[in-house]
């Protein structure tokens, strides 16, 4: 069998026991203390210290498949994973983030699942960050002050959105960073064409809250993307994927930390509702993870 035919093992960073077993997986478990420390947000040094519990046991970048991170509450783990992947690259790369939220928001206490894109955009090896599939009001006028506008003014971050009024961006000279479309079909077609025209290699980060609830369920408010949309975007970067990670599996957590309990509640997460529906939601998530692992292998 040719080397190109071998399925590179997916890696599960077991942060919350939400990701079911995947064929050929490498599973690296995070202790309960670190699960609490890293979930939702933490100090920057805490993030990298926690990741040192896991990454030494991972294969070298390029020798494994997608990295599954668990709940979207852990999306900031993408930052050190991207840094690790870039250490093996000589040319600038694009980072493609499929997400219902911009993840370029301010978080004064360190880093969290909604602020990590800003850190990635500052990396000199990253040419552009495309956040694709946003339908969240996070990019509306009422949240202007929450964004890291510097990443937008530097033209390092582009939002691809639908259904959100972003006219404020024009008034601030940021219209080119906000690509707004009437529906997801039009958005994905334009984004796919744009990505296909770039010669650069790509790191892909998928937060499954970008998908409509009828596709699968997550911890967070969700977008409108469908499975064919994902396939179109992946095909647009066929042969140029140097790494990928996946978040948005569903889990519940009772925080010991009072401030994390407050932050989670403020973001509208309902533990009671999630607990009741958890087995059904996780079963569908598992089916999707198996499918996504195959797709990323076929299109890498």
């Amino acid at each position: 069998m040719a080397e190109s035919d071998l399925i590179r093992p997916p890696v599960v960073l077991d942060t919350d026991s939400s990701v079911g077993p995947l064929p050929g997986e490498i599973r690296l478990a995070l202790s309960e203390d670190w699960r609490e420390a890293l979930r939702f947000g933490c100090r920057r040094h805490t993030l990298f210290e926690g990741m040192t519990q896991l990454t030494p046991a991972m294969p070298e970048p390029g020798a494994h498949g997608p990295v599954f991170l668990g709940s979207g509450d852990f999306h900031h783990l993408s930052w050190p994973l991207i840094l690790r992947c870039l250490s093996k690259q000589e040319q600038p790369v694009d980072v493609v983030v499929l997400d219902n939220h911009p993840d370029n928001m301010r978080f004064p206490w360190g880093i969290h699942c909604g602020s990590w894109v800003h850190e990635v955009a500052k990396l000199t090896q990253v040419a552009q960050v495309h956040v694709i599939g946003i339908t969240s009001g996070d990019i509306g006028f009422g949240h202007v002050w929450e964004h890291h506008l510097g990443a937008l003014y530097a033209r390092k971050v582009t939002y691809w959105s639908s259904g959100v009024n972003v006219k404020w961006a024009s008034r601030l000279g940021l219209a080119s960073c906000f690509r707004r479309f009437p529906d997801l079909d039009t958005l994905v077609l334009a984004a796919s064409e744009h990505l296909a025209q770039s010669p650069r290699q790509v790191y892909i980060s998928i937060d499954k809250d970008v998908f409509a609830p009828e596709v699968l369920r997550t911890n967070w408010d969700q977008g409108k993307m469908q499975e064919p949309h994902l396939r179109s975007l992946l095909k647009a970067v066929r042969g140029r994927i140097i790494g990928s990670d996946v978040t948005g599996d569903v889990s519940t957590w009772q925080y010991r930390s009072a401030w994390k309990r407050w932050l989670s509640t403020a973001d509208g997460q309902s533990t009671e509702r999630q607990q009741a529906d958890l087995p059904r939601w996780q079963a569908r998530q598992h089916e999707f993870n198996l499918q996504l692992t195959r797709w990323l292998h076929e299109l890498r």
Side-chain angles (χ1 to χ4, degrees), residues 48-109:
F48 285 92
E49 185 178 351
M51 287 295 284
T52 62
Q53 312 298 310
L54 302 171
T55 51
M58 288 178 60
E60 288 294 307
H64 61 79
V67 182
F68 289 83
L69 307 179
S71 161
D73 291 1
F74 292 96
H75 205 172
H76 46 302
L77 273 62
S78 295
W79 177 25
L81 289 175
I82 290 169
L83 277 171
R84 188 172 183 268
C85 197
L86 290 178
S87 69
K88 303 296 182 181
Q89 301 300 315
E90 296 181 357
Q91 300 298 322
V93 306
D94 286 339
V95 175
V96 175
V97 184
L98 307 186
D99 205 312
N100 190 42
H101 308 91
D103 285 6
N104 183 40
M105 314 299 272
R106 298 183 184 278
F107 187 68
W109 301 282

Side-chain angles (χ1 to χ4, degrees), residues 174-209:
L174 293 171
S176 65
C177 303
F178 286 72
R179 303 198 179 185
R180 183 179 180 274
F181 299 87
D183 53 62
L184 261 292
D185 289 341
T186 310
L187 185 159
V188 169
L189 177 61
S192 297
E193 290 176 349
H194 181 88
L195 294 175
Q197 291 170 3
S198 172
R200 289 189 289 268
Q201 293 183 303
V202 172
Y203 184 99
I204 296 182
S205 181
I206 301 171
D207 188 336
K208 289 181 283 185
D209 69 18

Side-chain angles (χ1 to χ4, degrees), residues 145-159:
W145 66 274
E146 297 178 58
H147 288 254
H148 279 288
L149 295 179
L152 297 166
Y153 278 118
R155 300 302 191 264
K156 290 289 290 283
V157 176
T158 302
Y159 298 155

